């Protein structure tokens, strides 16, 4: 009889606390702060905002907590304190997030996926532009001095780890490491500049990635990933471009979003704005823009595969087609590069090494540079260099006269004489005329 009473008491205690809050993770990004509550089962919740001071209150019904608040890694500039408080009923658990500013939270549950179980996600968008780091605004460069801009998208990030290797390494860290190396190579090349869609371990919405590239006036978007399959055997890199079916679906979407058509690059947005809303002309210009974007994507991918095949194993020697959201821009050539298979134990180890990451980044850079040397966009420094027209170079941090001379293929003596320099010393921000080859 005593055993039965003990069992009944235990059963009622389990029923009263049907869920467990297991951990709280905070992911700050340039656009928002994401809070993730890891739960043992699907959460039942309510939330509301308070002022004076600003607070977000989350009530988790039928829940108890295992969280030690001292262990929460909070790097957010928006959240000052995470604590608990007295719940409205004894079987609930109340969380309080003290905030510096008022926000409009977006709260939603997530089902188990990958290494993660049930989660409750809270997105806190920054309400003012001063809180989010912005890319430095650049004045339009004069004709003949514009840079070829490459947007680099490090796949996954933050709450989205991507694929997980046999040794539990996450794709998101590998993609960011390769992307940083690639950006560094691009930024050191005269006439080229990199824009990164994320610079740290946080999640960026797939649609937002294309928008960042567009705002950065990108000529090309490269999305860096690491492949994964259930079978641990496959190895090697591959390059993917947008499939025709996905391209057609995206065209339909852009035709409906008339207010956004003016955002398109390459002049097509301006041309569409002059069609007075004629759907047939709009469709024609969008089709032409998408056709050119996809053709350029395929051509660039061939250059990249050729360069990668010289230094790393290839899984596919030809570009592959896929329906991927990050490739959908009708105005920006977009590629997805699989650096290798994180699901393969040997390749997982390779992808973690600085040497292999640099090989991949260098090969991608060589392929991109090869394409734009042969097909320089009009009005760019690369186009001027191809036609032998005069070029200008603005001295950057860490550059010397000899380094600049080497990059442009001229002697130090000729560079000094052309600019009437009395010494080999150059200043950051100094503009040099580059003599023709």
């Amino acid at each position: 009889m005593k055993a039965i009473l003990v069992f009944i008491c235990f059963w009622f205690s389990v029923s009263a606390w049907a869920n467990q809050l297991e951990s709280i993770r905070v992911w700050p990004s340039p656009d928002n702060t994401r809070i993730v509550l890891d739960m043992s089962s699907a959460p039942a919740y309510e939330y509301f905002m308070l002022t004076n001071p600003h607070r977000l209150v989350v009530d988790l019904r039928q829940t108890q907590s295992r969280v030690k608040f001292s262990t929460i890694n909070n790097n957010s500039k928006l959240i000052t304190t995470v604590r608990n408080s007295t719940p409205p009923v004894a079987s609930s658990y109340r969380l309080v997030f003290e905030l510096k500013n008022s926000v409009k939270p977006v709260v939603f549950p997530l089902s188990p996926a990958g290494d993660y179980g049930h989660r409750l996600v809270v997105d806190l968008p920054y309400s003012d532009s001063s809180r989010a780091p912005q890319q430095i605004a650049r004045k339009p460069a004069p004709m003949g001095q514009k840079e070829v801009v490459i947007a680099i998208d490090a796949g996954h990030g933050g709450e989205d780890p991507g694929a997980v290797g046999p040794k539990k390494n996450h794709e998101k860290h590998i993609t960011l490491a390769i992307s940083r190396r690639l950006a560094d190579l691009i930024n050191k090349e005269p006439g080229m500049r990199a824009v990164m869609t994320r610079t740290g371990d946080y999640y960026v919405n797939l649609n937002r990635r294309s928008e960042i590239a567009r705002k950065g006036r990108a000529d090309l978007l490269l999305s860096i990933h690491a492949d994964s399959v259930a079978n641990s055997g496959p190895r090697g890199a591959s390059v993917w471009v947008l499939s025709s079916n996905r391209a057609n679906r995206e065209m339909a979407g852009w035709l409906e979003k008339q207010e956004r058509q003016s955002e398109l690059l390459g002049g097509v947005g301006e041309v569409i704005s002059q069609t007075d809303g004629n759907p047939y002309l709009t469709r024609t210009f969008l089709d032409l823009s998408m056709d050119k974007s996809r053709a350029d994507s395929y051509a660039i991918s061939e250059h990249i595969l050729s360069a990668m095949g010289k230094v790393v194993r290839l899984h596919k020697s030809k570009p592959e087609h896929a329906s991927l959201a990050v490739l959908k821009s009708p105005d920006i050539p977009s590629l997805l590069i699989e650096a290798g298979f994180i699901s393969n134990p040997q390749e997982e180890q390779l992808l973690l090494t600085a040497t292999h990451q640099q090989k991949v980044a260098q090969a991608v850079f060589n392929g991109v540079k090869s394409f734009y040397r042969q097909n320089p966009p009009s009005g760019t420094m690369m186009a001027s260099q191809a036609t032998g027209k005069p070029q200008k170079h603005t001295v950057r941090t860490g550059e010397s006269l000899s380094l600049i001379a080497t990059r442009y293929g001229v002697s130090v003596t000729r560079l000094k004489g052309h600019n009437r320099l009395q010494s080999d010393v150059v200043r950051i921000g100094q503009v040099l005329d580059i003599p023709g080859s």
Side-chain angles (χ1 to χ4, degrees):
M1 186 66 180
K2 185 177 179 181
I4 294 173
L5 288 172
V6 170
F7 174 78
I8 291 172
C9 291
F10 173 76
W11 187 87
F12 272 108
S13 67
V14 170
S15 299
W17 307 100
N19 210 340
Q20 294 276 350
L21 173 60
E22 297 177 338
S23 67
I24 299 175
R25 291 175 287 128
V26 180
W27 302 98
S29 80
D31 296 317
N32 70 354
T33 288
R34 170 167 285 194
I35 305 165
V36 181
L37 310 181
D38 291 302
M39 313 291 296
S40 62
S41 58
Y45 62 94
E46 295 172 344
Y47 67 94
F48 55 91
M49 295 294 299
L50 295 173
T51 56
N52 297 321
H54 298 294
R55 285 156 290 164
L56 167 66
V57 180
V58 180
D59 285 330
L60 301 168
R61 295 195 294 272
Q62 303 293 307
T63 301
Q64 63 180 3
S65 174
R66 296 174 179 170
V67 174
K68 292 182 179 179
F69 292 101
S70 60
T71 64
I72 298 173
N73 185 18
N74 176 25
N75 294 320
S76 172
K77 295 181 180 179
L78 177 62
I79 301 172
T80 58
T81 305
V82 183
R83 59 180 174 84
N84 63 352
S85 184
T86 305
V89 294
S91 60
S92 294
Y93 189 79
R94 172 165 283 185
L95 277 171
V96 179
F97 299 91
E98 297 183 5
L99 310 172
K100 285 188 176 179
N101 301 309
S102 175
V103 297
K104 294 181 179 179
V106 179
V107 184
F108 55 95
L110 284 177
S111 300
D115 286 351
Y116 294 121
H118 289 279
R119 289 152 289 166
L120 183 65
V121 177
V122 181
D123 279 339
L124 305 176
Y126 297 137
S127 57
D128 62 281
S129 58
S130 64
R131 186 167 298 280
Q134 301 293 322
Q135 292 178 5
I136 299 173
R138 293 173 179 260
K139 295 181 180 179
M143 287 292 288
Q145 296 182 36
K146 291 193 297 184
E147 297 164 310
V148 173
V149 180
I150 311 298
I152 305 171
D153 172 47
H156 307 283
E159 173 61 11
D160 174 17
V164 181
K167 297 290 187 182
K168 303 303 180 183
N169 293 293
H170 289 173
E171 178 183 1
K172 65 176 182 177
H173 298 307
I174 292 169
T175 62
L176 183 59
I178 294 173
S179 296
R180 284 172 170 165
R181 292 176 184 277
L182 177 57
D184 187 53
L185 290 168
I186 289 170
N187 286 328
K188 288 179 179 177
E189 179 67 20
M192 297 181 74
R193 176 168 59 88
V195 172
M196 294 187 68
T197 62
R198 72 175 177 100
T199 57
D201 186 15
Y202 52 83
Y203 180 73
V204 180
N205 181 278
L206 292 176
N207 292 327
R208 175 74 178 138
R209 295 172 192 246
S210 294
E211 290 173 7
I212 292 171
R214 188 170 287 109
K215 287 180 179 178
R217 312 297 294 176
D219 297 283
L220 173 66
L221 171 62
L222 301 173
S223 190
I224 309 298
H225 287 256
D227 218 335
S228 178
V229 291
N231 179 4
S232 63
R235 296 184 63 176
S238 56
V239 181
W240 297 76
V241 296
L242 189 66
S243 67
S244 56
N245 288 339
R246 181 60 184 259
N248 290 333
R249 293 202 303 274
E250 292 304 324
M251 283 300 94
W254 276 94
L255 283 168
E256 294 174 0
K257 300 173 186 175
Q258 293 185 9
E259 73 282 359
R260 294 197 57 206
Q261 291 166 6
S262 61
E263 298 175 11
L264 296 173
L265 301 180
V268 67
E270 183 178 349
V271 172
I272 288 174
S273 68
Q274 298 172 4
T275 62
D276 297 324
N278 185 314
Y280 300 104
L281 286 175
T282 299
R283 175 75 197 211
T284 299
F285 289 126
L286 278 172
D287 278 340
L288 289 170
S289 180
M290 178 62 91
D291 287 347
K292 184 180 187 307
S293 174
R294 292 183 65 220
D296 285 349
S297 298
Y298 196 89
I300 296 167
S301 66
E302 288 185 313
H303 280 256
I304 291 175
L305 282 168
S306 175
M308 292 185 81
K310 296 174 182 177
V311 293
V312 299
R313 181 195 295 257
L314 293 181
H315 181 63
K316 299 285 186 179
S317 60
K318 294 289 184 182
E320 297 288 303
H321 293 83
S323 175
L324 299 168
V326 77
L327 304 179
K328 67 183 184 179
S329 294
D331 54 333
I332 306 174
S334 303
L335 313 175
L336 187 142
I337 298 166
E338 298 281 10
F341 280 82
I342 194 175
S343 53
N344 178 281
Q346 292 77 29
E347 203 145 78
E348 178 189 23
Q349 286 302 114
L350 269 180
L351 289 167
L352 291 170
T353 66
T355 302
H356 192 77
Q357 290 171 2
Q358 190 67 29
K359 276 185 180 180
V360 173
Q362 186 70 56
V364 173
F365 169 71
N366 289 345
V368 171
K369 181 179 175 181
S370 168
F371 174 83
Y372 282 112
R373 287 292 183 198
Q374 296 178 27
N375 307 275
S378 176
T380 61
M381 190 184 298
M382 281 188 165
S384 297
Q385 193 171 16
T387 57
K389 293 180 180 178
Q391 299 177 71
K392 292 184 181 296
H393 178 85
T394 302
V395 179
R396 302 174 182 175
T397 303
E399 290 184 329
S400 64
L401 196 67
S402 61
L403 180 64
I404 296 168
T406 301
R407 284 181 186 164
Y408 287 97
V410 297
S411 67
V412 173
T413 302
R414 189 172 178 210
L415 187 58
K416 284 175 63 178
H418 193 74
N419 289 273
R420 299 180 181 177
L421 300 178
Q422 301 301 314
S423 72
D424 291 351
V425 177
V426 288
R427 306 182 310 276
I428 296 172
Q430 183 177 355
V431 179
L432 301 176
D433 289 321
I434 308 299
S437 58

